[in-house]
Amino acid sequence: MININELKFDEKGLIPAVVIEEETKKILTVAYMNRASLEISIERGLTCFWSRSRNKLWVKGETSKNFQHIMRIETDCDRDALAVYVKKDGPACHLGTDSCFNDAVYINQQETSPFHLRQLFLLLENRKSEKKEGSYTTYLFEKGIDKILKKVGEEATEVIIAAKADDKKETVYEIADLTYHLLVLMVEMGISPEDIQKELASRHVIDHKIKQEKMTE
């Protein structure tokens, strides 16, 4: 365990704190702590920061109730930065988003880069904010929720048709289309992949649930 006295605060008495969600390891925000806010954080088990703009201490969630419960705090090898691992009660960003880090500056799209759904999700988020002309994704966002929902319904139907025909290749193709449109819907509604992951993780008895259906003679 490192003593607070071993930490290196800057000339203004501050140290940067990278807040990370314990479960997903997603970066939520970057803020600053001074000795007092760090001591409060440790004492209360809730993140407390020093606001450089307001020049005062503030506990995350004191107004919004979106508290961040500290699991552990680590420092780097130079003792001049902190990583704060938390479990959060709600959105981390004041804009109401899951994280403060949502706008892509660069996405590696080289063919050698492994594809993953998180990468596509970030690209879709970026497309919504940038509104690239001629983009089908931009078209969907401009048309709004009704158009997006219509496409989700159409693609779901295509999946059913392909699977019913026992056409594996076509089913894969249609599932990919459906997945893309579902991700567009998620971006439109402010739903993150982590939200879906948490919901699935909470279903501990998924294999034991029995769907009750009406029996007809």
Side-chain angles (χ1 to χ4, degrees), residues 80-136:
D80 59 0
L82 300 174
V84 185
Y85 292 85
V86 304
K87 288 186 178 180
K88 59 187 181 65
D89 289 337
C93 182
H94 71 285
L95 297 178
T97 55
D98 189 56
S99 165
C100 292
F101 292 86
N102 296 299
D103 299 321
V105 176
Y106 169 74
I107 298 176
N108 189 335
Q109 296 178 333
Q110 296 179 13
E111 291 184 6
T112 55
S113 299
F115 175 83
H116 51 83
L117 289 179
R118 180 68 190 177
Q119 181 186 49
L120 176 57
F121 183 80
L122 291 174
L123 183 61
L124 293 176
E125 282 189 321
N126 185 254
R127 189 68 78 241
K128 183 180 182 182
S129 60
E130 286 190 356
K131 297 292 194 300
K132 183 178 179 181
E133 188 176 352
S135 164
Y136 173 66

Side-chain angles (χ1 to χ4, degrees), residues 20-28 98 194 197-198:
I20 304 166
E21 187 172 25
E22 172 71 18
E23 182 179 358
T24 65
K25 301 303 183 287
K26 179 179 176 62
I27 296 177
L28 301 178
D98 189 56
E194 289 74 27
Q197 179 180 328
K198 288 179 181 177

Side-chain angles (χ1 to χ4, degrees), residues 4 20 50 203 215:
I4 290 181
I20 304 166
W50 175 258
R203 300 182 183 186
M215 301 299 293

